[in-house]
Amino acid sequence: IDGAWVPEPTASKLVSDGGSVLLDEGSLWPGNKFVITNVIVSQKFLKEHPDVVEAVLRGTVKTNEWIHANQDKAKASANARLLADTGKGLDPKVIDPAWPSISVTDDPLAATLKTQSEWAVKAKLLEKPDLAGIYDLTLLNKVLKAAGKPEVSDAGLGAK
């Protein structure tokens, strides 16, 4: 392989096998943060079960808080889960350098989704998507406010 664009821990695995980092994508983004994963739910489910969605979001916010407060335990727990699910955990020479590059946040970083879609269109990977209404952060912001945390922005991509 001459080159790869991969997330952690795959990037650290390639480096541990002798590869080199040519560019850390985080350096291209404000605050080194960009969206990789969002919690999603269908509009139908959200409308029919807002209590369930709110409970999941409360659990996610509490889990993210625990991860930030317990980095070593969180890393060990993630690796133990990987071992239980796949039969193989990550070697310390992979997980130790990868872990600091993995950032969990309550913020969906909506502006970066918009930018990523623009880049994908420019690269002709997809046609211009209609992202209007892709985010409804009402319940997330309710949970964040109740936890004494700042609300997050939908970057103009919120439900109308």
Side-chain angles (χ1 to χ4, degrees), residues 76-151:
S77 178
N79 209 22
R81 183 79 260 160
L82 211 68
L83 177 62
D85 289 348
T86 68
K88 187 174 182 186
L90 293 173
D91 188 291
K93 69 182 181 180
V94 173
I95 197 167
D96 290 345
W99 194 258
S101 298
I102 299 170
S103 175
V104 295
T105 177
D106 301 319
D107 189 342
L109 304 168
T112 68
L113 178 68
K114 192 175 188 178
T115 301
Q116 287 173 343
S117 73
E118 290 166 358
W119 289 349
V121 169
K122 187 175 181 181
K124 297 184 171 53
L125 296 173
L126 55 90
E127 293 183 21
K128 184 176 169 99
D130 179 6
L131 298 177
I134 197 164
Y135 289 107
D136 181 344
L137 303 179
T138 306
L139 291 177
L140 175 58
N141 280 325
K142 177 182 175 185
V143 168
L144 290 172
K145 186 174 182 181
K149 298 176 182 269
E151 293 185 356

Side-chain angles (χ1 to χ4, degrees), residues 33-49:
K33 293 181 181 179
F34 56 99
V35 66
I36 293 179
T37 307
N38 277 308
V39 174
I40 61 168
V41 62
S42 72
Q43 288 295 321
K44 180 181 182 208
F45 190 88
L46 177 60
K47 184 180 268 190
E48 292 175 1
H49 306 284

Side-chain angles (χ1 to χ4, degrees), residues 48-100:
E48 292 175 1
H49 306 284
D51 55 330
V52 173
V53 174
E54 186 175 337
V56 168
L57 292 170
R58 268 195 315 274
T60 300
V61 168
K62 285 182 180 179
T63 299
N64 289 348
E65 189 174 295
W66 182 86
I67 290 168
H68 286 284
N70 300 279
Q71 289 289 311
D72 289 338
K73 287 181 183 178
K75 179 174 61 172
S77 178
N79 209 22
R81 183 79 260 160
L82 211 68
L83 177 62
D85 289 348
T86 68
K88 187 174 182 186
L90 293 173
D91 188 291
K93 69 182 181 180
V94 173
I95 197 167
D96 290 345
W99 194 258

